[in-house]
Amino acid sequence: MSNVTFYLLDESSQDKPAHLELACLLAARSYRQKQKCLVYCQDQAQAEQFDELLWQLPTDAFVPHNLSGEGPVGGAPVEICWQAPTQFNRAVLINLASNVPDFHQRFKQIIDFVPASEALKVQARERYKHYRAAGNQLDTLPASTLNEIQNHG
């Protein structure tokens, strides 16, 4: 059984989508807590976009990361992929895809998002139902938690 946390997002007012920005902060928090995490993306383009966002973090908040198949043996503390990983040596899964990954049960903690857009909320509700049907522990947190993560780590 996994703990699944859904973050309720507001419309993003910046050039970065809110779920990607929050996912960067959550990946950084996992790294600071010495928990390896996997960021599962919808496709290669989103994975590369997320990789770029991590590089844009301030130098004092650098997060060692790599796209799946690159980097050191065993991967960096934060691995970004768009296909099922070959190794499951990570505690945290950050799901940026529109579906529930088939391999989600292999993680202790799963982070998912409820975007502000109505069409994307429908997909999030389906993921929520899927996680619940699989017997996972579910929590929902407001987008304002983003500020707490930024301010308190």
Side-chain angles (χ1 to χ4, degrees), residues 72-140:
V73 175
V78 175
E79 184 174 344
I80 306 162
C81 71
W82 60 94
Q83 297 170 323
T86 55
Q87 297 178 24
F88 293 95
N89 58 349
R90 297 170 187 279
V92 180
L93 169 66
I94 298 176
N95 184 33
L96 297 176
S98 59
N99 62 317
V100 173
D102 294 337
F103 51 83
H104 75 277
Q105 293 287 63
R106 294 178 165 221
F107 294 84
K108 293 178 192 159
Q109 183 182 1
I110 300 168
I111 296 167
D112 209 315
F113 304 92
V114 180
S117 133
E118 205 48 52
L120 296 175
K121 278 184 186 175
V122 170
Q123 292 177 344
R125 286 186 196 110
E126 289 304 311
R127 291 193 305 275
Y128 189 94
K129 288 178 196 171
H130 188 284
Y131 289 127
R132 185 176 59 201
N136 296 301
Q137 173 70 43
L138 296 159
D139 290 308
T140 306

Side-chain angles (χ1 to χ4, degrees), residues 25-118:
L25 295 172
L26 292 164
R29 183 179 71 178
S30 288
Y31 170 64
R32 285 193 310 273
Q33 293 174 345
K34 299 189 179 359
Q35 289 187 312
K36 285 188 165 195
C37 93
L38 179 77
V39 181
Y40 184 67
C41 297
Q42 184 69 30
D43 52 32
Q44 184 174 354
Q46 186 184 52
E48 289 170 354
Q49 179 185 18
F50 187 77
D51 178 55
E52 244 347 275
L53 288 174
L54 281 177
W55 282 115
Q56 293 172 20
L57 290 173
T59 51
D60 63 341
F62 175 73
V63 176
H65 65 281
N66 62 267
L67 291 167
S68 188
E70 297 178 358
V73 175
V78 175
E79 184 174 344
I80 306 162
C81 71
W82 60 94
Q83 297 170 323
T86 55
Q87 297 178 24
F88 293 95
N89 58 349
R90 297 170 187 279
V92 180
L93 169 66
I94 298 176
N95 184 33
L96 297 176
S98 59
N99 62 317
V100 173
D102 294 337
F103 51 83
H104 75 277
Q105 293 287 63
R106 294 178 165 221
F107 294 84
K108 293 178 192 159
Q109 183 182 1
I110 300 168
I111 296 167
D112 209 315
F113 304 92
V114 180
S117 133
E118 205 48 52

Side-chain angles (χ1 to χ4, degrees), residues 3 72 92 119 148:
N3 289 323
V92 180
E148 294 168 26

